[in-house]
Amino acid sequence: MSTLDMIREYGHEEVYFVNNEKAGLKAIIAVHSTKLGPALGGCRLWPYQNEEEALFDVLRLSRGMSFKNAAAGLPLGGGKGVIIADPSQKTDALFEAFGEAVEKLGGRYLTAEDVNTDTHDADIMLRTTSHVVGRADVSGDPSPMTAIGVFDGIRATAKFVYGTDELKGMKIAVQGLGKVGLDVAEQLHAAGAELIVCNRSNRKVMEKVVGEYGAKEVAMDEIYGVDCDIFAPCALGAIVNYETIPQFKCKAIAGAANNQILDDACGVALKQRGIAYAPDFIINGGGVINAGQEAFTTYDKEKVLAQVHNIYNTVYGILEESKASGEPEGVIAQRFAENRIRNGL
Ligand code: NAD
């Protein structure tokens, strides 16, 4: 699909190109929907080959944020910013200029950190715009809340598939031990689960998980085929694909990674194999619930936690509906979000 067709089909409200020669900034901001509130989505910095590639990414990601925010029950729409640059080219002037562009949108787009940007960069944007959430001194790092929601989503999936959300003795394979994956592994271990893990980097973390939690380490390409009850992808996207689907021995997939399913056909194939799937943008919504709260009320950790724990119910409801209708869980989740955008929360 061409990017113009995407704009037509996805129904973006605004797409804003920024060329600030003085600051060396080339960026695109896409406001997909403000029906539920200001469009929230982070600012990604990436060495895109050209504007077309950046536009494709920002259109797709901004629509994804509309679904994620609506499904999380936030009075927020969906948007995204992308800066076309190499991470080595980060300067204060770049983020100040991006902040100026955000400011011009008058609060219709709220930005935050994302891939290759961090709270330091967000602080620089604050010099030129107030429309920034996920501030280090307010809601802070979203990863711990994401991990809490993922753990709840794993429990809901276990309840649906195995009839219990007690994870004691359950074999759970965790792919990726980064900010979210390590935290999820800790919670799973505390709940008595048996862990099978792999990670691309950081031997220290692996030694801790193997040494302290008794986890079994496997090679990165072996994780898909291990004998386990639940596979928890916490590293990469597109890991449910034509190569991996035949390998899975688990009855359920529930983890933090974004965009887990390669394409619609893989969603159908997974369903046909009888493997339950906790939709990624629902189960990993804890971080956006945490940061998003800054946008519409005073940050209150207890209220955030209550909303994050509700991920259990949302995941369980989607699994039930998918069983009843026979449609893949991802399809049900998208419809759930679209209905909320159309009819309100
Ligand atoms: P991270 O960069 O801290 O961790 C990713 C980990 O995955 C790293 O330890 C890396 O070594 C490992 N890894 C990379 N490729 C691997 C492979 N092939 N096999 C095994 N391990 C591999 O990232 P994170 O913040 O923990 O996020 C993890 C996933 O969750 C990402 O897909 C991210 O988009 C998604 N997510 C994160 C948040 C959040 O709050 N951090 C929120 C929503 C979604």
Side-chain angles (χ1 to χ4, degrees), residues 51-267:
E51 279 87 350
E52 184 65 19
E53 203 181 287
L55 180 59
F56 179 85
D57 212 26
V58 78
L59 293 175
R60 193 178 57 85
L61 293 169
S62 54
R63 184 175 79 138
M65 285 310 299
S66 290
F67 295 154
K68 186 174 206 163
N69 294 339
L74 297 169
L76 294 169
K80 199 83 184 181
V82 293
I83 296 178
I84 305 172
D86 189 88
S88 63
Q89 297 170 314
K90 280 167 108 176
T91 59
D92 283 15
L94 197 75
F95 292 110
E96 283 171 3
F98 185 80
E100 276 170 25
V102 172
E103 186 62 23
K104 281 187 191 156
L105 287 172
R108 296 195 296 287
Y109 168 64
L110 306 176
T111 197
E113 63 170 292
D114 197 75
V115 176
N116 288 329
T117 61
D118 55 26
T119 47
H120 173 72
D121 305 325
D123 279 350
I124 298 167
M125 293 178 204
L126 278 167
R127 293 177 191 162
T128 47
T129 184
S130 57
H131 305 302
V132 179
V133 302
R135 299 183 194 186
D137 59 347
V138 188
S139 65
D141 180 4
S143 310
M145 283 296 176
T146 302
I148 290 171
V150 170
F151 179 67
D152 282 341
I154 291 174
R155 287 178 46 243
T157 307
K159 174 87 180 158
F160 180 79
V161 175
Y162 299 108
T164 175
D165 56 16
E166 293 293 325
L167 301 179
K168 199 168 171 13
M170 252 182 226
K171 282 191 197 159
I172 304 188
V174 182
Q175 179 186 43
L177 298 169
K179 292 191 292 288
V180 180
L182 176 61
D183 195 330
V184 169
E186 273 170 6
Q187 294 181 70
L188 292 172
H189 168 68
E194 282 178 35
L195 297 175
I196 303 157
V197 294
C198 70
N199 197 31
R200 182 181 290 285
S201 56
N202 207 333
R203 284 310 303 167
K204 261 200 174 148
V205 163
M206 183 56 82
E207 279 158 23
K208 177 186 165 91
V209 173
V210 171
E212 291 179 27
Y213 307 159
K216 181 181 171 205
E217 179 183 1
V218 296
M220 284 190 293
D221 57 353
E222 282 174 23
I223 195 88
Y224 308 106
V226 295
D227 178 22
C228 67
D229 300 304
I230 298 176
F231 172 53
C234 296
L236 311 164
I239 36 68
V240 176
N241 56 46
Y242 299 96
E243 253 180 53
T244 59
I245 291 172
Q247 295 180 46
F248 291 126
K249 295 199 177 71
C250 56
K251 284 196 180 143
I253 297 179
N258 275 316
N259 304 317
Q260 291 171 29
I261 303 223
L262 177 68
D263 58 24
D264 292 348
C266 288

Side-chain angles (χ1 to χ4, degrees), residues 284-307:
N284 72 17
V288 82
I289 293 172
N290 190 55
Q293 211 202 38
E294 280 183 33
F296 54 88
T297 182
T298 311
Y299 182 76
D300 178 337
K301 195 170 175 188
E302 288 312 308
K303 280 193 189 150
V304 169
L305 267 173
Q307 211 173 343

